[in-house]
Each structure stands twice: as structure tokens, then as C-alpha cells.
Amino acid sequence: MGHKHTNKKYSAATFQNVADNSKYIDLVHSGEDYFVRLKEIIDKAEKEIHLQTYIFENDETGNLIAKCLKEAAQRKVKVYVLLDAYGSAALPDSFVEDMVQHGILLRFFSPLFSLNNFYIGRRMHHKVVVVDGSIALIGGINIADKYHGTATSEPWLDYAVQLDCPAAENLQKLCNDYYFKKGSSRKILPVLHSAGNALVGILQNDWLRQKTEVCDAYTNAILQAEKEIVIVGSYFLPGSRLAKALKKACKKGIKIKVILAGISDVPLVRRATEHLYASFLKHHIKIYEWNRSVVHGKAAVVDNKWATVGSFNLNSLSCYGSIEMNVEIQSVEFAKKLQADFEKVIGECSEITLETLKQRAGMLNRLADWVSYQMVRISMLFITFLPHLRFLKNYGI
């Protein structure tokens, strides 16, 4: 039975777990863990598969998953694949045509340019698969070798959640809505579903459709925190709303830890984030850099009772531009599992302090960080807000 989502604070009793919830919700890591599960649930599909992802690459991992999807389609399973036109632009036409010829119903979300209702920053950023409305994977993991790892490289640090609970049915409805462009998802209120003794909700962020559920959930959880907040943040550049919430939490004495990229696939954004380090540290936010692979995770845990995992980055592009989807979990059991994983990662990170920052931050480095920050901030403003081309129609151009 679903429960209406509210912003109220939950008492400790709400989150007491007397049963194992792992059969309903389970933490999934990038690498073999994710892709073995993905293959298994596709192979078990009987009626319908929805796969929506930002990046689908023509590499070993992409071809493996494509093969599984084609085999499912040959079993008369309805297979719907929605890819972002920009994120998956490198897919060869022959790859796409082969999937379609094998019975897969595939479409791309928006061409790169459109004069109708395209918003340049509005990318379909989901990383979701749901099968038969009963089992799903939702997180930040795209379909590519870099998320799987190779014999010579670790997978990018990322997370997903496997759902085997009523939330999967809700997720299928949302995926169906986006695939068929129904637009009814804007009318669907977020609901918390029972999953054992946990509560699980699917959150959307699509500012153009007035859906800001992920941003709202993050903000509320941060403001309601009582003890500790831990965030894994790729492309971490919180806008004013989230930054204010974090600073307010700091003033209340809440412990805040952020796990950030020591290595990034977008060096300019990493430098822009580093420009904010001094401010974070002065507000007593602890910073840890992961240097074993690229950080791509988008996850958080608050007070060992609330957690979220998904596609949403803490920056303006995710808040106001892209279409994002996260899972929200109210469960001591799951939150403790995620927290323990974060602590393990922190144990393998380099902690950044004001002293270490001084050692690395010469004048040229500081200047480069400042320039990077200004460039990224202006770019995000442009990509997110300025070029919604619907105004062309309004002015008859």
C-alpha cells in the first residue's frame, strides 16, 4: 500500500527494522555487481522491459546488454529502450538498426537542436531498468565499459539500488510515460511504498514540468538532519538553495562529509569544485577525494535512517536542466549499509584539509580553479536557463 509523501520529520520508531529488507531493496555497486544483476533480470523478463539511460556505448559491456535485450525481444518480451540523443550520440547507426531489427522498440530523447520545445540543458539523464513491473535497478550507472571496469581499470565509483517491491510498478509507469511522451508523470505525486519495514519512493526532477522532488528531498533531509550527512558527489557544485541548506546544517553542528573526485572525466568541473574547497572547509565540511577511479556516484545518507541513490548531481544542471530520477529510502537497515560502504570508501580516500589545500594551492592553481569555476558556472547558467527556444514561437520568429 502506498503512503503519500510528506516533508514531516520521522521519529526513530518509524525506522525501527525487525525484519531483513534486503529481499525488497538492495544496494548495488558499479562493476560486476551491477551488470551481473542487470543481465539476470533482463534474462528473466516475461512481458515487458523498460531501459532508460543517458549513455549506451558500443563497447564490450554495451554489446553484452544489447545481446540480452535482443534475446528478450526474440522471446516476445516487449523491450522499450529510451536513450538520450546527446549522451548516446556516439552509437553507430548500424548498432541501433540491429537492435530495432531484432524487435527492440528504441527511441532517442530529443534531437540536439529543436525549435519546438527543446531546452538545451534538458537531457534525459535517467539510469533505470524495470522488468515486468516487479523488479528494477535505479541509480547512476550507464551502460559502458567504464562503469563495468576492465582487466586493467577499476569501474567508476557509482551506485544503484535493486528494487523488488511495489515501487517497481510505480517506476514502470513513469518509464512508460517518458517513453510514450504521455506527459502524465507531471500529475503523479511522489508516493512512499512499503518494502518490508522500509519505505521506498521514486523521485523525479524535471524543472520544466515543475517536478523538483529530488532537489526538495535533498534539501529537506539536509535541513532536518540531527547528527550526520554523508554525500558522494560527482560534478559537485551545489546551487544556492542546497549550499544554504548545507551551511545551515553546519551551523547546527551537523557533521558533514563529502566524497569527491580526485580523478574526473571532466577536469574543468573538478577544478571548479576545488575552488569551493576553502569555503567548505571553513564551514567544517570534511572533504575526501577518491583517486582510484572516476567518481560518478550520486548518493547520500542522513542520520543513518534516510538515503537516496540515483542520477541527480548536486549542481544547477540537475536541479533545473536535466530530467533526473532517484530512489528515496527510509530505512535504518539500508542507510546503515550505505553508510558503512561510504566509510569504507573514505578509508581509501585522501582527506583534504586547509593545510593540504595550502600545499597544493599556489597562485596559478588558485587562479585556474577560479577561472574554471566562473566558466562552469556561466556555462551551466547558459545551458540550463537561457536557450529554451520556445520563446521563438512566442515572438513569431
Side-chain angles (χ1 to χ4, degrees), residues 250-298:
C250 291
K251 288 177 181 177
K252 287 165 53 182
I254 309 300
K255 293 179 181 177
I256 301 179
K257 301 175 182 177
V258 292
I259 300 167
L260 303 176
I263 304 168
S264 177
D265 60 318
V266 189
L268 189 70
V269 175
R270 200 206 73 79
R271 274 201 170 275
T273 300
E274 190 170 323
H275 173 69
L276 300 176
Y277 278 11
S279 175
F280 294 158
L281 292 168
K282 286 172 184 175
H283 283 88
H284 308 292
I285 296 174
K286 291 194 172 183
I287 301 169
Y288 301 91
E289 283 188 347
W290 173 260
N291 290 292
R292 289 176 52 176
S293 62
V294 169
V295 172
H296 194 259
K298 310 101 168 38

Side-chain angles (χ1 to χ4, degrees), residues 342-358:
F342 287 172
E343 293 299 334
K344 183 180 176 183
V345 170
I346 285 171
E348 299 176 19
C349 285
S350 301
E351 182 174 2
I352 306 301
T353 65
L354 285 171
E355 285 303 313
T356 58
L357 198 59
K358 285 177 185 175

